[in-house]
Amino acid sequence: MKKYISYIALILAGVILVSCHKDKFDYKPGYVGRSKITTYPIITVKGSDYVLVTKGGTYNDPGATAKAGAEDVEVKSSTINVNVAGVYTQTYTATNVDGFSATATRHVVVYDTDAGAAAHDYSGNYARNTNGSVVEVTKIAPGVYSVFNPGGAPGTDLTVIAFNDTGTDFYIPQQNASDGSPTSSSQETSVPAPGGKLAGFNWVIINPTYGPALRIFSKI
């Protein structure tokens, strides 16, 4: 009986030793089994998210850098037409050695404002007539304004660029808004106030998430 117990003990010890033994994997560098490991590029855009350029001026691209792991990756960028006013999205693209790409963007605002409009300052807060939601308008260049919550929609964090390039016109040119959605305005009217100010304005926001209502705002 003792002999059988000894045999059983030896077998159990062998099982325990085998169970505790770690498997050794001899994978090729950069692989797990037959699967190759790839590291996607991470792009860092230098400078501001919005860059301002006068029409016909020189755009000095602040540029961008990219890395895939510890490796530097070449960054290519789209071009900007500084001879046509508008709000452009500049796209930076980086591709790793395995052909996988990443993109990042910035906005480039090319503006062409006449002397009269350049003297205006429409900065301020404007309340929507239907719900009191506030639109924040900030002048960032002659005739160029950053507009937060352009639709007067509660809870939004959308920002767009609006132009007052001549007279009292105040409108949103076609652009990709801060969330990347295509946005512009139509049916714009403005209510001038003394001293180059604005008492109010109306517009329809053209955006996939907004309805066709005319939105009316008054300065507060």
Side-chain angles (χ1 to χ4, degrees):
M1 184 69 178
K2 291 182 179 179
K3 185 176 181 180
Y4 289 126
I5 292 173
S6 297
Y7 284 145
I8 292 171
L10 286 171
I11 292 170
L12 289 173
V15 169
I16 292 170
L17 286 172
V18 171
S19 299
C20 293
H21 179 70
K22 291 185 177 180
D23 291 331
K24 293 183 178 179
F25 299 102
D26 189 18
Y27 297 142
K28 291 168 57 179
Y31 283 80
V32 174
R34 296 182 179 179
S35 300
K36 186 176 182 181
I37 300 171
T38 192
T39 302
Y40 280 77
I42 296 176
I43 300 175
T44 301
V45 178
K46 297 180 180 180
S48 174
D49 288 340
Y50 287 85
V51 176
L52 302 162
V53 185
T54 57
K55 179 183 174 182
T58 300
Y59 171 47
N60 296 312
D61 184 359
T65 59
K67 281 186 173 293
E71 300 296 323
D72 292 330
V73 180
E74 180 185 7
V75 179
K76 297 181 179 180
S77 64
S78 58
T79 58
I80 302 298
N81 185 359
V82 296
N83 295 312
V84 178
V87 181
Y88 296 89
T89 299
Q90 184 173 24
T91 302
Y92 298 95
T93 304
T95 305
N96 70 8
V97 293
D98 298 315
F100 293 96
S101 297
T103 61
T105 61
R106 86 162 84 243
H107 293 85
V108 180
V109 182
V110 179
Y111 63 96
D112 182 21
T113 306
D114 67 29
H120 296 161
D121 189 353
Y122 291 170
S123 298
N125 292 338
Y126 299 78
R128 188 176 177 188
N129 69 330
T130 57
N131 59 15
S133 185
V134 175
V135 176
E136 299 175 15
V137 177
T138 305
K139 186 175 183 178
I140 58 175
V144 183
Y145 296 83
S146 172
V147 182
F148 175 76
N149 188 21
T156 186
D157 60 357
L158 193 74
T159 298
V160 298
I161 296 297
F163 283 166
N164 166 224
D165 47 17
T166 187
T168 59
D169 293 347
F170 191 55
Y171 67 98
I172 302 169
Q174 181 64 50
Q175 63 193 268
N176 290 330
S178 57
D179 66 352
S181 62
T183 306
S184 61
S185 66
S186 66
Q187 301 181 40
E188 306 92 351
T189 58
S190 57
V191 182
K197 307 297 184 180
L198 201 62
F201 62 91
N202 312 329
W203 55 28
V204 173
I205 298 293
I206 302 174
N207 178 291
T209 62
Y210 285 75
L214 180 68
R215 298 163 191 267
I216 302 171
F217 303 93
S218 299
K219 194 167 187 180
I220 55 177

